[in-house]
Amino acid sequence: MSVGHTGVTTSAESGSAGPVIVCETPQDECGVRDVLDRLGDKWSVYVVVELTPGTKRFKELQRAIPGNISQRMLTLTVRRLERDGLVKRTVYPTVPPQVEYELTELGRSLTHLVKALADWSIAHRPAIAASQAAWDAAHTGEGMRG
Amino acid sequence: MSVGHTGVTTSAESGSAGPVIVCETPQDECGVRDVLDRLGDKWSVYVVVELTPGTKRFKELQRAIPGNISQRMLTLTVRRLERDGLVKRTVYPTVPPQVEYELTELGRSLTHLVKALADWSIAHRPAIAASQAAWDAAHTGEGMRG
DNA sequence: CTGTATCCGCTGGGATACTG
DNA sequence: CAGTATCCCAGCGGATACAG
């Protein structure tokens, strides 16, 4: 492999023993996984968010993303995004090297969904937090009251 | 814990050594993780999708979800969803026991976003697949040609 | 600066057996 | 049927060292 032990490709063409999702249903919820796997990547969303305003370099991206993403994960993330056609990577063969990342048309078409997700999250976070608190309160000492 | 080695609570109040996300930014992309963590759960989305038409029992849910979700994961998933206030769980103390799951108001407010995600995924899957194929073709034998 | 290869811990998640 | 507890493994993801 070229990018570490995980590789960039997720499931296809790499191993012949991992169906992952059988895809029985015709088209309804079948493709959701494709996006969610990318969105659930823990970092992909942030890259998309940070790239929404415009082009950013590797280091800029790393600094902009909250949560201290490691070099390794940023590389893996942008590579996957690039492979999916959501991000365009441009290398300037200078010294020191400079690499710029930007959203493609496809990537930009996702930003409004990410925005919607973020809006929903922000709008309902209080409700969710309250629900969690209530749940926790109702379940404290369920199997650990000794 | 009451539900296995993983527990239901994700990060808060359980351990004091896991900040996970520092949340430096005021409110822009900060709350995205909350939703994405839930959506990236690999199964949560499917539960929401399957519950969109209406109430379902545990076993029904398990059968309806593509990819053969295990009992354990379905339990964990619906518990988390319940804790977040997205799903309501109703137990009928019959023999044999019967438990019904349904979306709450909060949960239903998410369905249109999930739908949007699914639509986007379906609409752009060909483009993504093409991009992946192109990327793979351009990167075959990068570090494994020996 | 940008990226790759290696080591390693942690957690998600499957299989299974048991309870009510 | 619904749920819990245990075992166990694969993979994600962090830290680090090294290369162009």
Side-chain angles (χ1 to χ4, degrees):
Chain A
M1 275 307 182
S2 57
V3 73
H5 61 100
T6 306
V8 175
T9 61
T10 308
S11 62
E13 46 69 52
S14 51
S16 54
V20 183
I21 283 292
V22 195
C23 197
E24 320 167 23
T25 45
Q27 204 179 52
D28 282 89
E29 71 250 3
C30 193
V32 183
R33 274 262 68 82
D34 300 331
V35 184
L36 269 307
D37 279 355
R38 205 63 61 249
L39 260 45
D41 253 5
K42 181 181 184 181
W43 296 118
S44 300
V45 177
Y46 282 119
V47 171
V48 172
V49 169
E50 294 301 334
L51 249 33
T52 299
T55 301
K56 271 197 176 64
R57 298 180 53 177
F58 187 88
K59 202 75 179 193
E60 285 181 294
L61 220 36
Q62 188 174 22
R63 270 191 287 262
I65 293 174
N68 290 318
I69 183 173
S70 64
Q71 243 179 9
R72 193 180 105 84
M73 288 318 296
L74 182 53
T75 301
L76 281 173
T77 303
V78 293
R79 279 298 180 291
R80 275 192 280 249
L81 255 21
E82 188 195 0
R83 189 175 103 101
D84 290 349
L86 301 177
V87 160
K88 178 158 166 287
R89 177 169 170 268
T90 310
V91 181
Y92 297 95
T94 60
V95 174
Q98 175 165 346
V99 181
E100 288 189 347
Y101 295 93
E102 62 183 313
L103 292 178
T104 62
E105 202 56 55
L106 190 59
R108 276 192 292 275
S109 73
L110 230 189
T111 56
H112 75 282
L113 280 183
V114 172
K115 180 66 164 51
L117 238 25
D119 289 344
W120 188 94
S121 178
I122 293 169
H124 298 284
R125 191 146 37 144
I128 293 178
S131 176
Q132 289 178 346
W135 194 94
D136 290 344
H139 291 249
T140 32
E142 209 64 2
M144 49 186 280
R145 68 179 195 288
Chain B
M1 277 306 181
S2 56
V3 75
H5 62 98
T6 305
V8 175
T9 60
T10 309
S11 63
E13 45 68 54
S14 49
S16 54
V20 182
I21 283 293
V22 194
C23 197
E24 321 166 22
T25 46
Q27 203 178 52
D28 281 272
E29 70 252 5
C30 191
V32 183
R33 274 261 67 80
D34 301 331
V35 184
L36 269 307
D37 279 355
R38 207 64 60 246
L39 260 45
D41 254 4
K42 182 180 184 181
W43 296 118
S44 300
V45 176
Y46 282 119
V47 171
V48 172
V49 169
E50 293 302 332
L51 249 34
T52 298
T55 300
K56 271 197 175 65
R57 298 179 53 176
F58 188 87
K59 203 76 182 192
E60 284 181 294
L61 220 35
Q62 189 174 21
R63 270 191 286 262
I65 293 174
N68 291 318
I69 184 173
S70 64
Q71 241 178 7
R72 191 179 107 82
M73 287 318 297
L74 182 53
T75 300
L76 282 173
T77 302
V78 293
R79 279 295 181 293
R80 276 193 278 249
L81 255 21
E82 188 195 3
R83 187 175 106 100
D84 289 348
L86 300 176
V87 160
K88 179 159 167 287
R89 178 170 169 267
T90 310
V91 181
Y92 298 95
T94 60
V95 174
Q98 176 164 347
V99 180
E100 285 189 348
Y101 295 92
E102 62 183 313
L103 291 178
T104 62
E105 202 56 55
L106 190 58
R108 276 192 291 276
S109 74
L110 230 189
T111 56
H112 76 281
L113 279 183
V114 172
K115 180 66 164 49
L117 238 24
D119 288 345
W120 188 93
S121 179
I122 293 168
H124 298 284
R125 194 148 32 146
I128 293 178
S131 176
Q132 290 178 345
W135 194 95
D136 290 344
H139 290 250
T140 32
E142 209 64 2
M144 48 188 280
R145 68 179 195 285

